[in-house]
């Protein structure tokens, strides 16, 4: 039914990602994922939406067709999908669906959707569908579709009463794909489709549907036969998050599917394995508290004691001082993902060690050696609220946030930990969506180091040595008139078997109130070396931030050594111009942190291929650290000059390691799924951009995570 080569490509899609309430009246009946990897019956959609935030990865196979889909429930009413398919060729497509109405006692759930609205249009269709639950175990769906969903039983578009233009469906797709097919939306003939789901028990569901898809491309170009519009199937869900399906399709084919779902709003280990924090010490009862810090000897002993206790809980003390009845501590949280949890733990340690006359704590969390904010807490509040109902909300209401710009505490702490850190680890690097080979992979050994000259001055680097893999094969590259910035990226390290991934020096600073700065110099990433400078304006209590970045970079040699290479003058980068390729790039950036974890970013400026344009990004971060997002970059490069894909776009997924293992850590696993990597709209990939460093220590994000203050 399908070749091993194609199967590995579909598996590669699922591996690369590794996974609102339901619309149905019966809240515990989860959405059924169909062969398209979206909520539906078998091949047709339904109006049921998955749980808010749910991530699903689906593999579906029948005949010579294979589909791998990632679906994200971006909002209680909005879901988006990215699909990689094989029909007679490989194809990438995006879906979007919006639920117009939840299901009520009488009213059905109603959804409107776009299938393959960005891409080649091979699956292009639009629909409006309604779903109603009958009793507790039957769901009935019916809708009207356009495009592929109007291939059988079509009739004149009813939207023609609004405008006769709706009666004709133009072909506005282009050879390079990747364009938004707005000219086709809800145009041309329409047709009806529908289906039913019967939940036999908690694990098994029987399915039947009438499909209006004619499967013209498949019947013309493959051995697929469409003998009937009826499809039948069964799904088995042996445990939450796992759905298996088997189907008899179109009177001729057997199909199977598997779906794995993940819930970013929960934790893999619900309670976690965090060590218990020190309790708040009521003044006069702690055996650790110093009588005072009035003498140099007492100050030295107090700071050393505080530094040692903080270190046992995963913090690094940078400095501390007592002025009158106020104690100020500047520290770095190296263990806990949420800065709010770090603030709570450090405050409790301070209550154990601060002199009895101290009534006010000022905590200054830092990242990369720069103070992020000053959180002021009253010691009395800690003593009275620790074990009371609603302590988290009340402690947040009584806390104050301000800027921490200015000198560090008068007394610094000499950290006994080594300034030089290094490690060696195995690595796996995947490349997916290549037109010749859907999955490529390298395995090898990666060595990293970091040397801290000062808390805000870091020298870091990574070296990789590949042991096995096939990522040196560049594969299919469509034509482009742009300089070779990314499209032959697989050649880096291919002949040498590895090399220097990056090697750079970064300096972070606080040039003024609400201002942050960064300068990076060296081999910044695999493709480029040079110098990068950045400034960020971000008030502690503001949801808005504005940044500016300027870079001068040169294109690195393919061997990942210390040299730089000239630009290519041919498609496969075998003929060079003779002059090193260097470019000045820069962007003005705006950031806004909405409520409910939504964060928007707009970057406007010049990109590495010399093109000018803007990147629009929208992320959603959940309280447990999961982050989902999407971006699109549009520049002054014509779609034809850009090449396959027409413009840069992608989906971002970041999973915190503590969600997986349960133990506290700031590490994350992140991936960006692009339909393919091209040259236009490309920026330098720099470690430690300022907004990512700073925002977690400001009021908005700390308030979102304040529920972890007492953990």
């Amino acid at each position: 039914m399908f070749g091993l080569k194609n199967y590995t490509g579909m598996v590669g899609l699922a591996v690369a990602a590794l996974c609102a309430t339901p619309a149905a009246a019966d809240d515990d009946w989860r959405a059924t994922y169909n062969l398209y990897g979206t909520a539906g019956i078998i091949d047709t959609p339904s109006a049921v939406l998955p749980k808010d935030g749910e991530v699903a990865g689906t593999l579906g196979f029948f005949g010579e067709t294979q589909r791998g889909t990632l679906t994200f429930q971006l909002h209680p009413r909005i879901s988006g999908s990215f699909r990689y398919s094989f029909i007679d060729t490989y194809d990438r497509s995006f879906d979007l669906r919006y639920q117009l109405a939840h299901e009520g006692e009488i009213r059905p759930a109603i959804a409107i959707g776009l299938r393959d609205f960005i891409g080649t249009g091979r699956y292009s269709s639009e629909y409006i569908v309604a779903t109603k639950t009958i009793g507790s175990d039957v769901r009935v769906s019916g809708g009207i579709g356009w495009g592929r969903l109007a291939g059988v039983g079509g009739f004149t578009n009813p939207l023609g009463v609004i405008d006769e233009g709706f009666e004709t469906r133009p072909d506005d797709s282009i050879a390079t794909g990747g364009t938004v097919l707005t000219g086709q939306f809800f145009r041309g003939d329409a047709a009806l489709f529908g289906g039913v789901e019967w939940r036999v028990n908690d694990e098994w569901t029987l399915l039947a549907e009438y499909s209006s898809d004619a499967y013209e491309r498949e019947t013309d170009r493959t051995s697929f036969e469409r003998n009937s519009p009826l499809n039948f199937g069964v799904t088995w869900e042996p445990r939450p998050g796992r759905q298996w399906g088997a189907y008899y399709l179109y009177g001729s084919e057997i199909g199977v599917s598997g779906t794995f779902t993940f819930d970013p709003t929960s934790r893999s280990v619900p309670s976690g394995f965090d060590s218990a924090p020190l309790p708040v010490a009521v003044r006069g009862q702690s055996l650790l508290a110093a009588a005072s810090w009035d003498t140099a000897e007492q100050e030295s002993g107090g700071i050393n004691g505080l530094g040692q206790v903080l270190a046992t809980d995963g913090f690094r003390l940078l400095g501390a001082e007592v002025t009158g009845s106020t104690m100020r501590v500047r520290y770095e949280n190296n263990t806990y993902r949420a800065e709010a949890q770090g603030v709570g733990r450090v405050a409790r340690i301070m209550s154990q060690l601060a002199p009895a006359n101290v009534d006010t704590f000022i905590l200054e969390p830092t990242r990369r050696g720069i103070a992020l904010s000053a959180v002021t807490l009253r010691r009395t509040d800690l003593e009275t609220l620790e074990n009371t109902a609603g302590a988290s909300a009340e402690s947040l209401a009584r806390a104050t946030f301000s800027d921490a710009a200015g000198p560090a505490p008068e007394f610094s702490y000499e950290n006994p930990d080594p300034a030089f850190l290094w490690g060696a680890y195995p690595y796996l690097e995947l490349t997916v969506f290549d037109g010749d080979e859907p999955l490529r992979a390298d395995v090898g050994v990666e060595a990293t180091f970091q040397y801290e000259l000062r808390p805000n001055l870091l020298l870091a680097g990574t070296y990789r040595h590949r042991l096995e893999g096939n990522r040196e094969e560049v594969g299919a590259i469509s034509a482009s008139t742009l300089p070779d910035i990314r499209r032959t990226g697989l050649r880096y390290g291919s002949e040498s078997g590895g090399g220097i991934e990056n090697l750079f020096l970064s300096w972070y600073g606080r040039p003024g109130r609400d201002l942050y700065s960064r300068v990076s110099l060296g081999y910044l990433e695999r493709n480029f070396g040079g110098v990068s400078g950045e400034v960020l304006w971000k008030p502690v209590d503001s949801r808005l931030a504005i940044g500016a970045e300027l870079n001068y970079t040169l294109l690195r040699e393919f061997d990942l050594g210390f040299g730089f290479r000239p630009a290519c003058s041919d498609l496969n980068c075998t003929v060079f111009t003779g002059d090193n390729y260097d470019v000045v790039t820069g962007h003005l950036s705006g950031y806004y942190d909405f409520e409910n974890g939504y964060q928007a970013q707009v970057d406007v400026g010049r990109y590495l291929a010399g093109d000018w344009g803007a990147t629009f990004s929208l992320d959603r971060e959940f309280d447990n650290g999961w982050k989902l997002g999407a971006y699109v970059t549009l520049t002054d490069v014509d779609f034809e000059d850009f090449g396959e894909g027409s413009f840069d776009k992608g989906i971002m997924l970041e999973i915190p390691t503590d969600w997986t293992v349960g133990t506290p850590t700031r590490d994350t696993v992140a991936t960006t799924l692009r339909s393919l990597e091209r040259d236009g709209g490309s920026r330098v990939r720099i470690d430690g951009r300022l907004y990512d460093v700073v925002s977690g220590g400001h009021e908005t994000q700390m308030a979102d995570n304040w529920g972890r203050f007492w953990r």
Side-chain angles (χ1 to χ4, degrees):
M1 295 173 60
F2 51 88
L4 179 61
K5 173 180 176 180
N6 298 336
Y7 174 78
T8 59
M10 298 299 105
V11 173
L13 175 64
V15 172
L18 279 184
C19 341
T21 57
D26 190 350
D27 288 338
D28 67 350
W29 192 353
R30 301 168 62 86
T32 298
Y33 284 90
N34 62 16
L35 282 164
Y36 277 96
T38 60
I41 312 297
I42 298 173
D43 218 24
T44 61
S46 72
V48 180
L49 290 186
K51 186 178 185 295
D52 184 25
E54 186 166 280
V55 182
T58 300
L59 299 175
F61 308 93
F62 63 96
E64 297 176 43
T65 296
Q66 299 124 52
R67 299 174 187 150
T69 306
L70 289 172
T71 293
F72 304 85
Q73 193 62 32
L74 305 171
H75 179 272
R77 290 181 181 268
I78 301 173
S79 60
S81 302
F82 172 71
R83 183 177 304 104
Y84 191 56
S85 309
F86 181 83
I87 309 172
D88 58 308
T89 183
Y90 294 105
D91 183 64
R92 296 167 287 266
S93 57
F94 293 86
D95 295 1
L96 193 64
R97 171 161 48 178
Y98 179 76
Q99 190 180 64
L100 297 168
H102 294 304
E103 182 174 353
E105 188 172 341
I106 299 176
R107 181 191 64 209
I110 303 172
I112 185 170
L114 305 174
R115 184 182 283 174
D116 193 6
F117 72 99
I118 300 179
T120 59
R122 288 169 183 154
Y123 285 127
S124 178
S125 53
E126 306 82 48
Y127 58 85
I128 299 174
V129 62
T131 299
K132 189 72 183 78
T133 304
I134 301 174
S136 60
D137 295 318
V138 176
R139 282 198 302 229
V140 178
S141 298
I144 181 173
W146 293 261
R148 276 192 62 138
L149 284 172
V152 173
F155 50 82
T156 301
N157 192 342
L159 296 177
V161 300
I162 301 173
D163 187 331
E164 291 184 356
F166 281 105
E167 297 179 2
T168 302
R169 188 177 184 88
D171 181 6
D172 62 354
S173 62
I174 62 175
T176 56
T179 56
V180 181
L181 307 176
T182 54
Q184 298 183 6
F185 291 174
F186 303 98
R187 295 179 181 272
D189 286 351
L192 300 178
F193 61 86
V196 60
E197 304 166 76
W198 174 32
R199 182 170 57 172
V200 179
N201 53 44
D202 290 341
E203 294 186 4
W204 294 92
T205 301
L206 299 179
L207 312 168
E209 71 176 13
Y210 168 84
S211 172
S212 53
D213 190 337
Y215 272 78
E216 292 181 359
R217 185 182 183 94
E218 288 81 356
T219 55
D220 289 345
R221 305 193 182 194
T222 72
S223 61
F224 181 85
E225 295 182 9
R226 189 188 188 282
N227 299 325
S228 168
L230 300 179
N231 298 324
F232 304 93
V234 59
T235 63
W236 177 46
E237 191 171 353
R239 51 172 291 190
R242 305 290 184 271
Q243 177 193 296
W244 308 100
Y247 318 98
Y248 180 63
L249 302 164
Y250 300 102
S252 63
E253 296 288 350
I254 299 296
V256 294
S257 71
T259 298
F260 291 79
T261 62
F262 302 85
D263 182 5
T265 64
S266 67
R267 283 177 64 95
S268 172
V269 183
S271 61
F273 299 124
D274 304 24
S275 61
L278 284 175
V280 173
V282 178
R283 275 168 285 190
Q285 298 181 9
S286 173
L287 300 177
L288 302 176
S292 70
W293 283 21
D294 292 339
T295 68
E297 184 177 351
Q298 290 172 337
E299 290 163 353
S300 176
I303 289 176
N304 287 332
L306 180 61
Q308 292 167 11
V309 176
L310 285 172
T312 63
D313 203 21
F315 301 95
R316 175 188 177 189
L317 179 63
L318 298 178
E321 64 183 7
V322 173
T323 306
S325 62
T326 299
M327 183 176 187
R328 182 163 72 109
V329 171
R330 183 170 289 189
Y331 65 92
E332 184 175 24
N333 166 22
N334 293 315
T335 304
Y336 303 94
R337 172 178 48 78
E339 288 290 356
Q341 184 176 6
V343 168
R345 285 182 168 251
V346 172
R348 276 171 284 193
I349 292 172
M350 292 171 68
S351 75
Q352 292 278 353
L353 292 143
N357 69 304
V358 170
D359 189 57
T360 302
F361 295 156
I362 300 177
L363 295 88
E364 297 179 353
T366 70
R367 295 297 293 165
R368 303 289 175 108
I370 53 175
L372 307 179
S373 60
V375 184
T376 301
L377 305 171
R378 292 179 59 226
R379 191 175 189 176
T380 302
D381 293 336
L382 295 173
E383 294 170 343
T384 58
L385 292 175
E386 182 181 24
N387 297 309
T388 62
S392 292
E394 188 60 31
S395 60
L396 175 61
R398 299 185 188 186
T400 60
F401 298 82
S402 59
D403 192 274
E410 181 179 356
F411 305 105
S412 61
Y413 174 66
E414 294 298 328
N415 183 29
D417 294 336
F420 181 81
L421 301 173
W422 70 278
Y425 322 90
Y427 78 85
L428 168 66
E429 185 170 8
L430 298 174
T431 297
V432 294
F433 314 139
D434 185 290
D436 287 346
E437 187 71 52
L439 174 65
R440 299 180 188 274
D442 283 350
V443 294
V445 178
E446 175 179 286
T448 64
F449 83 92
Q450 176 179 298
Y451 180 63
E452 186 179 279
L453 289 82
R454 297 177 60 185
N456 64 334
L457 184 61
L458 306 174
L459 177 65
T462 302
Y463 180 88
R464 277 187 175 182
H465 181 73
R466 188 183 66 199
L467 299 176
E468 192 62 53
N470 64 345
R471 292 184 68 255
E472 75 276 8
E473 303 168 11
V474 175
I477 304 175
S478 66
S480 172
T481 63
L482 298 177
D484 171 39
I485 302 304
R486 300 291 185 194
R487 67 178 180 268
T488 58
L490 296 185
R491 290 188 59 183
Y492 281 91
S494 62
E495 296 179 3
S496 59
I500 300 169
E501 293 287 308
N502 56 58
L503 178 62
F504 59 90
L505 183 72
S506 287
W507 173 67
Y508 290 83
R510 291 296 311 267
R513 183 176 179 83
D514 301 330
L515 293 176
Y516 304 83
S517 64
R518 172 191 58 81
V519 176
S520 300
L521 173 68
Y523 299 91
L524 303 173
E525 50 139 301
R526 180 179 292 175
N527 294 42
F528 283 91
V531 60
S532 171
E534 184 184 5
V535 175
L536 178 74
W537 173 82
K538 175 67 171 71
V540 170
D541 58 353
S542 174
R543 294 182 179 273
L544 175 68
I546 298 174
E549 180 178 292
L550 186 65
N551 310 302
Y552 172 73
T553 57
L554 295 92
L555 199 57
R556 296 181 60 190
E557 289 279 10
F558 286 124
D559 64 2
L560 290 180
F562 293 103
F564 298 95
R565 70 177 174 89
C568 303
S569 59
D570 71 331
L571 179 63
N572 294 312
C573 228
T574 58
V575 179
F576 301 94
T577 62
D579 296 324
N580 284 345
Y581 182 84
D582 62 339
V583 61
V584 175
T585 64
H587 286 79
L588 292 176
S589 301
Y591 311 84
Y592 195 83
D593 193 334
F594 296 92
E595 295 181 356
N596 299 321
Y598 291 97
Q599 300 164 13
Q601 180 176 341
V602 179
D603 305 289
V604 180
R606 190 177 192 229
Y607 295 84
L608 287 167
D611 46 333
W612 294 82
T615 299
F616 305 89
S617 306
L618 181 64
D619 297 339
R620 185 180 182 187
E621 184 170 2
F622 297 90
D623 290 343
N624 63 3
W626 270 68
K627 183 182 288 188
L628 303 174
Y631 77 93
V632 59
T633 299
L634 298 172
T635 73
D636 57 0
V637 176
D638 292 337
F639 290 168
E640 292 78 6
D641 293 335
F642 182 93
E644 185 179 356
S646 298
F647 59 92
D648 190 31
K649 51 196 171 292
I651 297 170
M652 298 168 288
L653 175 62
E654 183 174 319
I655 304 173
T657 303
D658 67 348
W659 181 89
T660 306
V661 301
T663 55
T665 175
R666 298 187 70 107
D667 295 338
T668 62
V669 177
T671 185
T672 298
L673 295 176
R674 298 176 174 87
S675 58
L676 74 171
E677 189 165 51
R678 301 291 296 177
D679 305 311
S682 183
R683 294 184 66 183
V684 185
R685 294 166 184 165
I686 296 174
D687 176 72
R689 281 194 163 101
L690 286 172
Y691 187 80
D692 295 332
V693 170
V694 169
S695 58
H698 282 195
E699 181 176 359
T700 300
Q701 291 196 27
M702 272 212 264
D704 289 342
N705 291 286
W706 202 261
R708 303 184 68 82
F709 178 83
W710 294 105
R711 285 186 61 87

